[in-house]
Amino acid sequence: MALVVHKYGGTSMGSTDRIKNVARRVAKWHDAGYQIIVVPSAMSGETNRLIGMAREIMPQPDPRELDMLASTGEQVSVALLAMALHALGKEAVSYAGWQVAIRTDSAFTKARIQSIDDVKVTRDLDAGRIVIITGFQGVDGDGNIATLGRGGSDTSAVAIAVAMNAKECLIYTDVDGVYTTDPRVVSEARRLNTVTFEEMLEMASLGSKVLQIRSVEFAGNYKMPTRVLSSLTDPMIALEEETVSGTLISFEEDTNMEQAAITGIAFNRDEAKITVLGVPDRPGIAFQILGPVAEANIEVDMIIQNQSVDGKTDFTFTVPRGEYQKSMEVLTNSVKAHIGAASIAGDAKVSKVSVVGVGMRSHVGIASTMFRTLSEEGINILMISTSEIKISVLIDEKYMELAVRALHKAFDLENAD
Ligand code: ASP
Ligand code: MG
């Protein structure tokens, strides 16, 4: 009998009526002969509410206690879902992560899963029960509850699917799949039937927040087929239709069809650019500039060092906009005088737009199409970076939506796969 894992997000679990619908959907799969493990999130808004209460008590609560608190949202969900399945005459049993046990490290509020014990779950599945496991959490070596970070239920679901050797992990959410770009920016954006996990990783890290990025890494590392699909359809929709709906995150070697050059356009509005001007061009300079930035826990993304003139160069890099002030302070206070830079300039109104696609490996001219399209729109490129399957440009934030729309059209993304 094929085993599948279903994950339901907060919106899908948002009310007792929605939970009843989840139960009907799960029961339908069980009736069709599947073994099922369900991994729900907390009811929508619940995790925020819990963390909000903690912050009313003190601004920086102890991370262990925060996890103790935040993990309760999912415990409510699993119990209610078990009851909803019982009401349909199904045998179902719910577990918190620590009961399974899902073992994690002790990095509270951002723990990583280390191992998952399959004994209880296998026993229940073999007895014909539907097993429901809290998302987002596990237990560390000392018995403390630890959570996996916001959005962590996706990662729980994929990890459980891997540990239990499931056939597929289905992530039910409030959108019906992964799109060529954000449909709020480009109304012609199209749902992708498949996307490779590498593309998904790029799109997820660039702000398409359909899945927690670590769940995509898990799916990729362990080759777990993972499907993103809607939980807002009629729960009794025919299984033949449901099993091919949404977007399947697949593996490149599985897709033998002719690849399109580009799969999607990702963007990130909230970037900032910093330039250290008139830096003496000598060994160690990049380290002396970026070392203190890294020590302040600021993530640097794009980097350019200019050709030097008379032994002096300019060094430019980008950081998330929220870290702009802090980065400027670090540079002004502990870098500028130390390295003998002339000045520091910054621009916190820049955005990043990227074209993503494994098809880039076999198509030439992607970069030139991208640059031509932007030039035809009169958009100035401030920085460029590339990887094997992605080309990113940094531009003035006021042109971001225009750039995304123009590129979507230039790469013909509105037309079918
Ligand atoms: N309930 C947690 C959160 O809101 C985990 C999740 O929903 O994936 O972040
Ligand atoms: Mg989520």
Side-chain angles (χ1 to χ4, degrees):
M1 232 185 306
L3 168 69
V4 291
V5 172
H6 283 194
K7 185 262 171 178
Y8 291 92
T11 314
S12 322
M13 297 292 293
S15 64
T16 46
D17 279 336
R18 293 226 168 131
I19 293 175
K20 286 183 195 170
N21 274 340
V22 168
R24 291 169 71 208
R25 194 183 295 277
V26 170
K28 174 186 74 182
W29 280 73
H30 194 254
D31 288 341
Y34 286 90
Q35 290 189 324
I36 306 189
I37 301 170
V38 190
V39 181
S41 291
M43 295 169 79
S44 57
E46 184 59 11
T47 311
N48 286 344
R49 191 184 71 87
L50 293 167
I51 294 173
M53 282 197 293
R55 299 217 196 282
E56 277 170 27
I57 301 230
M58 64 187 296
Q60 298 283 344
D62 177 61
R64 179 194 179 276
E65 301 309 327
L66 258 185
D67 279 0
M68 189 71 181
L69 177 72
S71 63
T72 61
E74 273 70 12
Q75 198 174 324
V76 171
S77 294
V78 292
L80 290 174
L81 181 56
M83 293 170 200
L85 283 160
H86 295 166
L88 296 177
K90 287 289 180 191
E91 268 199 69
V93 56
S94 69
Y95 294 112
W98 62 268
Q99 293 174 302
V100 169
I102 297 174
R103 299 252 168 234
T104 67
D105 60 22
S106 305
F108 299 115
T109 77
K110 47 177 184 299
R112 287 183 171 268
I113 295 178
Q114 291 174 333
S115 65
I116 298 178
D117 191 345
D118 61 0
V119 175
K120 266 188 210 166
V121 179
T122 306
R123 183 199 59 202
D124 288 323
L125 291 172
D126 288 347
R129 292 183 199 113
I130 295 164
V131 179
I132 310 166
I133 304 174
T134 52
F136 181 52
Q137 60 199 268
V139 61
D140 77 357
D142 296 323
N144 301 301
I145 292 177
T147 73
L148 312 181
R150 299 307 305 271
S153 299
D154 296 331
T155 302
S156 305
V158 178
I160 289 169
V162 169
M164 300 303 301
N165 220 343
K167 179 171 156 260
E168 194 171 297
C169 182
L170 296 101
I171 311 269
Y172 288 89
T173 177
D174 52 0
V175 294
D176 66 352
V178 179
Y179 278 69
T180 49
T181 196
D182 186 339
R184 284 167 298 189
V185 173
V186 182
S187 55
E188 295 83 15
R190 188 173 45 81
R191 183 176 56 76
L192 295 160
N193 288 324
T194 61
V195 63
T196 69
F197 91 90
E198 291 166 290
E199 290 166 334
M200 192 60 209
L201 217 47
E202 294 286 7
M203 315 258 259
S205 68
L206 288 163
S208 116
K209 298 215 171 53
V210 188
L211 289 178
Q212 196 197 35
I213 192 152
R214 267 161 58 195
S215 70
V216 183
E217 285 165 5
F218 245 107
N221 290 345
Y222 295 96
K223 290 207 177 309
M224 173 52 58
T226 300
R227 185 179 295 277
V228 176
L229 70 173
S230 174
S231 68
L232 304 176
T233 55
D234 174 358
M236 299 319 283
I237 172 184
L239 212 55
E240 302 77 60
E241 201 179 318
E242 189 168 334
T243 48
V244 296
S245 68
T247 301
L248 178 66
I249 302 174
S250 63
F251 306 95
E252 204 174 340
E253 49 273 34
D254 300 344
T255 47
N256 47 9
M257 56 190 169
E258 178 71 8
Q259 284 288 352
I262 292 300
T263 304
I265 315 276
F267 55 82
N268 197 348
R269 272 176 225 279
D270 303 320
E271 301 271 338
K273 169 172 84 88
I274 296 174
T275 304
V276 186
L277 295 134
V279 185
D281 192 3
R282 55 164 195 260
I285 213 70
F287 173 63
Q288 282 168 20
I289 294 172
L290 296 181
V293 176
E295 261 161 48
N297 247 320
I298 298 167
E299 214 178 305
V300 169
D301 180 21
M302 302 167 109
I303 303 171
I304 295 184
Q305 185 183 329
N306 289 359
Q307 191 79 20
S308 62
V309 179
D310 299 332
K312 300 265 184 187
T313 183
D314 298 336
F315 191 92
T316 307
F317 59 94
T318 63
V319 295
R321 198 173 294 172
E323 309 276 23
Y324 176 66
Q325 284 308 336
K326 195 164 141 201
S327 312
M328 289 298 268
E329 278 161 30
V330 169
L331 290 169
T332 318
N333 299 339
S334 40
V335 176
K336 186 170 171 268
H338 181 62
I339 61 169
S343 60
I344 295 169
D347 182 354
K349 292 193 163 164
V350 290
S351 299
K352 184 166 78 166
V353 176
S354 310
V355 298
V356 177
V358 292
M360 242 179 245
R361 294 197 177 112
S362 53
H363 286 75
V364 294
I366 308 295
S368 72
T369 303
M370 182 178 195
F371 301 153
R372 189 190 64 232
T373 306
L374 296 172
S375 89
E376 281 168 3
E377 299 294 340
I379 300 171
N380 191 30
I381 300 172
L382 306 172
M383 289 174 87
I384 301 170
S385 77
T386 65
S387 81
E388 221 187 320
I389 66 162
K390 179 187 73 174
I391 305 170
S392 303
V393 294
L394 194 75
I395 59 176
D396 188 323
E397 70 167 5
K398 65 175 180 274
Y399 299 124
M400 195 210 72
E401 301 207 348
L402 173 64
V404 173
R405 277 195 289 272
L407 291 168
H408 199 270
K409 200 167 193 68
F411 288 103
D412 203 22
L413 290 177
E414 64 260 42
N415 294 315
D417 285 71

